[in-house]
Amino acid sequence: MSSADLSVRWPDVVRFVRQLNHDVRNHLNALELQAAFLNEIAEEGEVKDEIKRLRETLANVATSLQKLSTTLSEPKLNRIPYRAADLMADLQKKFENDHPDRKARVKWQTQAGDANVDVDPQLLQEAFAELLENAFRLSPANSEISIAASTQGKQFAITFREPKEKFESATNEWGRAPLTNVTHGHYGLGLTRVRSIIEAHGGQFEAAYDPSARVLITTILLPVEAPAT
């Protein structure tokens, strides 16, 4: 049987990655302890500087492994009621505080009225960060990204529009094909994580490409909470 004939269940992949993550982090912890000991007995400043850089590298690897484990985990929501307009304002503020050098490239427009949603704001921040990071990484340099939000009946719609001179990916299974686009530091899991977060909220996650405008349109639909009576 060739490797092309193998089929592995996704839960098995997740379990394997988590175990590998755990094993590697145990080794990293042991290396960190050794590096800390070397730092204590080292006398030369240059040696201490090298040990410091070594410990920073170990910390970065551990952080990357933790992020990978989080990406594969099922979202566990801590919902709170939120005015949709306030949610968008807070998401914008978070992004602009984290990326002041990029805020001029993102245009926000919200027409939410008095709509309310019941969401986990931290997980939505994670989803927004992933979508915006993808947009900046894969869109033309200095291009503008727009985010519009509005209430549409019983749904709160959030739409990302990002320019794409060329786009050949299928969008009918957007976020349902993990590990298909793997590059340095990126493992094809981000959109799958975004979809899992949105669907855990009872929402929908969609994408479509407009070839005439050369724009990728990504849409998040969240259920609107009924007003209190």
Side-chain angles (χ1 to χ4, degrees):
M1 177 184 295
S2 69
S3 59
D5 297 324
L6 294 175
S7 178
V8 182
R9 295 171 60 251
W10 182 246
D12 293 336
V13 174
V14 172
R15 186 163 54 252
F16 160 72
V17 172
R18 284 180 177 170
Q19 185 61 53
L20 179 63
N21 189 326
H22 175 77
D23 294 343
V24 173
R25 290 182 70 187
N26 281 343
H27 292 305
L28 290 175
N29 290 338
L31 288 172
E32 165 59 23
L33 290 174
Q34 289 179 309
F37 174 69
L38 289 174
N39 188 60
E40 290 180 2
I41 64 175
E43 296 181 357
E44 296 183 15
E46 185 175 345
V47 173
K48 284 183 173 291
D49 289 341
E50 290 300 321
I51 293 173
K52 179 181 178 181
R53 280 190 282 270
L54 171 62
R55 296 180 74 179
E56 288 173 350
T57 299
L58 292 172
N60 289 336
V61 174
T63 298
S64 296
L65 288 172
Q66 181 59 48
K67 183 179 179 181
L68 176 61
S69 182
T70 299
T71 300
L72 290 170
S73 65
E74 288 292 326
K76 296 181 180 179
L77 305 188
N78 292 311
R79 294 176 183 262
I80 60 172
Y82 232 116
R83 285 187 69 244
D86 293 340
L87 172 66
M88 294 305 299
D90 288 345
L91 289 171
Q92 179 179 353
K93 182 178 179 180
K94 170 67 174 173
F95 166 73
E96 292 180 349
N97 285 342
D98 289 348
H99 304 283
D101 57 320
R102 291 178 169 180
K103 66 180 183 180
R105 290 181 56 191
V106 182
K107 303 303 178 184
W108 303 73
Q109 183 179 13
T110 301
Q111 297 177 334
D114 294 327
N116 294 296
V117 289
D118 192 33
V119 299
D120 184 320
Q122 288 191 329
L123 284 177
L124 284 183
Q125 285 175 5
E126 180 186 332
F128 264 62
E130 180 64 33
L131 292 174
L132 283 168
E133 184 59 36
N134 277 353
F136 283 116
R137 185 167 56 90
L138 301 174
S139 296
N142 300 318
S143 59
E144 183 177 290
I145 299 158
S146 67
I147 301 175
S150 63
T151 304
Q152 300 177 5
K154 296 182 178 181
Q155 293 181 314
F156 182 57
I158 306 168
T159 303
F160 294 71
R161 298 175 65 90
E162 53 188 282
K164 301 286 185 188
E165 292 299 321
K166 293 183 179 181
F167 188 81
E168 299 176 351
S169 302
T171 57
N172 58 321
E173 292 296 315
W174 202 240
R176 290 194 178 96
L179 306 178
T180 54
N181 294 309
V182 177
T183 59
H184 177 68
H186 302 277
Y187 311 112
L189 294 168
L191 290 178
T192 302
R193 174 65 173 175
V194 172
R195 175 175 286 281
S196 69
I197 290 172
I198 301 308
E199 291 184 346
H201 282 86
Q204 300 172 47
F205 182 54
E206 306 168 350
Y209 181 66
D210 182 344
S212 59
R214 296 182 179 179
V215 169
L216 175 65
I217 304 169
T218 305
T219 303
I220 292 172
L221 298 172
L222 296 172
V224 171
E225 289 295 294
T229 57

